[in-house]
Amino acid sequence: MKSSRRRKLQEQLETAQPAVQAAEQRVQKAELTYQKQSQKLNKLAPIMEGLENLSAQYSQRPEEWVPEAATFETAKSYREKKAMPLIQKLVKVLFALHRKYWEVKDERDKYLHFYQDEKKATHHLSQRLKEVEAENSQLYAMKRDFRRVWNYFGAEKMQQVIGLMREQEQTAKQDQQENQIGRASCRER
């Protein structure tokens, strides 16, 4: 019984080790991707700073940046030559700011979601790694106990017991298969 449990635990350990290695590789890949995304965000920071400076330039008092009318200039010529080009320029700046705001916001949201997903995956993999490590330490303890029993009874006696247990397991497995075949043939009739 203990040898079959030990064998099962050994098989689970062997199947878990590649999963743990794959998980560690995914964690490393996620960290690398996160670093790349952080670098991209750092590249966007100067652009945002430039936009802030531009918006600050036009958020001052209008008297400082609105051109004054000349002495004998009519309202119509002032409107057409100075005010309308300035308003068109302001509209373009506002549209550019608005578009850049949404681009940066979308980019930030994308990176934020990516980071959160990677953080969840990392947490899940860390939990799984802890489980596998606990199982691994349990298997090592069983291995030490098995060696103690092996040393106590001797190699020859242990080989006999293991052979006997294998035969019993095979017989039980064959009986189970025969029962399944018998049930399947009864259903077909």
Side-chain angles (χ1 to χ4, degrees):
M1 281 293 191
K2 281 197 172 189
S3 67
S4 66
R5 178 173 161 81
R6 181 181 168 275
R7 196 174 317 115
K8 286 180 185 177
L9 287 174
Q10 187 70 28
E11 289 172 2
Q12 287 177 352
L13 176 64
E14 290 171 359
T15 58
Q17 285 176 339
V20 168
Q21 290 172 349
E24 288 174 347
Q25 289 174 350
R26 287 194 301 262
V27 167
Q28 289 174 352
K29 185 178 177 183
E31 288 175 354
L32 182 64
T33 305
Y34 172 72
Q35 289 173 353
K36 287 180 183 177
Q37 302 301 342
S38 295
Q39 289 174 351
K40 286 182 181 179
L41 278 176
N42 290 338
K43 288 179 184 177
L44 287 176
I47 295 171
M48 286 304 296
E49 199 171 296
L51 289 175
E52 289 172 359
N53 292 338
L54 183 64
S55 65
Q57 177 184 349
Y58 288 104
S59 65
Q60 299 168 354
R61 294 189 337 221
E63 298 85 35
E64 294 179 7
W65 51 270
V66 173
E68 292 186 26
T71 307
F72 294 107
E73 190 172 21
T74 64
K76 183 178 180 183
S77 69
Y78 177 79
R79 178 177 175 261
E80 290 174 0
K81 292 181 181 175
K82 294 182 181 174
M84 289 306 287
L86 181 63
I87 290 173
Q88 289 172 350
K89 185 177 177 182
L90 283 174
V91 167
K92 288 179 183 176
V93 167
L94 288 175
F95 278 132
L97 279 172
H98 183 72
R99 187 182 73 246
K100 208 50 145 163
Y101 165 78
W102 283 107
E103 287 175 7
V104 170
K105 183 183 179 302
D106 290 342
E107 196 77 14
R108 183 195 65 93
D109 290 345
K110 183 176 79 173
Y111 292 136
L112 184 63
H113 291 300
F114 176 78
Y115 174 72
Q116 288 172 347
D117 291 344
E118 292 301 320
K119 193 174 181 180
K120 286 178 187 175
T122 302
H123 177 71
H124 174 71
L125 292 174
S126 296
Q127 294 291 65
R128 181 67 181 130
L129 183 61
K130 286 178 185 177
E131 291 171 6
V132 169
E133 286 173 344
E135 192 174 306
N136 194 11
S137 65
Q138 186 181 20
L139 284 172
Y140 279 121
M142 289 178 70
K143 182 181 176 183
R144 285 190 302 271
D145 292 343
F146 183 76
R147 286 185 190 260
R148 288 181 188 125
V149 171
W150 184 278
N151 290 336
Y152 181 78
F153 285 109
E156 187 177 314
K157 180 74 171 172
M158 288 302 293
Q159 291 294 343
Q160 288 175 351
V161 170
I162 290 172
L164 180 64
M165 292 302 295
R166 284 185 182 154
E167 287 176 16
Q168 287 177 355
E169 289 173 4
Q170 288 177 353
T171 305
K173 189 175 181 180
Q174 288 174 353
D175 290 344
Q176 187 179 17
Q177 288 176 350
E178 289 173 3
N179 287 339
Q180 288 176 351
I181 293 171
R183 280 189 235 142
S185 63
C186 289
R187 287 183 198 156
E188 291 176 3
R189 291 181 189 174

